[in-house]
Amino acid sequence: MKSLVKACGTGHATNIIQGLAVGYESSVWAVIIIAGSIFSSIVLFSMSINPIFAAYGVAMTGIGMLTLTGNTISMDVFGPIADNANGIGEMGYDREAMEKAEGGSYKRARQILADLDAVGNTTKAVTKGIAIGSAVIAAVSLFASFITVMATGREHGQISAEIYNNVAGYLSLSNPRIFIGCCSAGRRRCCFLR
């Protein structure tokens, strides 16, 4: 925080850049933990013959994140409640009447609501990070499932690492048909495999 105060003295641009840097620093540990859990699940399941087991390990990482859903939702709800309480306090408090009844009460009440609002914003940011992380893990798992279906023509079954890697090699976002998601209707194979 001292770096932000220092950046305020040198101008608006440095203040914005320093604020972005501090914001990016706050996400580093979450990225390291999520990447480490995905990597450890891949290492644990990579010794199997079927490469889909590694995707299963990644999916189990996502399931592990989803076990915190109750906590995440309750944290997600707290943010708007605290924010609304602060807004209601701004509109509803009568400064003169509060100060007449007890000196300094208005300032204390506003500080309490400001602190609650800050905590609400923080919990909202944390829950967004958890939601984005679990969505990324789910997307990786679905992508591996898509590769399996394209390689085997069915939703389950054995697949060798060679076939899996071969089909995964066809999936390039530089191909506009793949980017759009063009698949032939009535067939199990995508148009890019023709």
Side-chain angles (χ1 to χ4, degrees), residues 37-194:
S37 63
I38 290 173
F39 181 73
S40 63
S41 67
I42 289 172
V43 167
L44 286 173
F45 287 96
S46 66
M47 294 174 248
S48 65
I49 298 169
N50 195 341
I52 296 304
F53 289 157
Y56 174 76
V58 173
M60 289 301 102
T61 303
I63 295 294
M65 287 184 75
L66 290 176
T67 59
L68 300 172
T69 301
N71 184 28
T72 303
I73 290 173
S74 63
M75 287 173 59
D76 209 11
V77 168
F78 178 73
I81 291 172
D83 194 24
N84 289 339
N86 194 13
I88 291 168
E90 281 182 30
M91 294 184 293
Y93 286 161
D94 185 5
R95 181 180 210 141
E96 290 81 22
M98 288 181 75
E99 290 297 324
K100 187 186 281 187
E102 182 182 346
S105 62
Y106 178 79
K107 186 175 182 181
R108 281 195 309 274
R110 296 291 301 132
Q111 184 61 47
I112 290 169
L113 287 175
D115 292 343
L116 279 173
D117 189 28
V119 172
N121 291 337
T122 303
T123 57
K124 188 78 171 164
V126 168
T127 57
K128 284 180 182 177
I130 292 170
I132 290 169
S134 61
V136 166
I137 291 172
V140 169
S141 301
L142 288 172
F143 196 68
S145 177
F146 175 74
I147 292 171
T148 304
V149 169
M150 291 298 102
T152 62
R154 57 187 187 275
E155 295 175 2
H156 52 78
Q158 290 287 335
I159 182 173
S160 68
E162 182 181 345
I163 292 173
Y164 183 87
N165 291 332
N166 188 21
V167 172
Y170 285 118
L171 299 175
S172 171
L173 291 180
S174 63
N175 184 345
R177 289 180 294 174
I178 296 171
F179 187 75
I180 295 169
C182 170
C183 286
S184 60
R187 294 191 182 202
R188 287 293 215 174
R189 298 167 62 94
C190 269
C191 54
F192 66 85
L193 292 177
R194 292 183 187 169

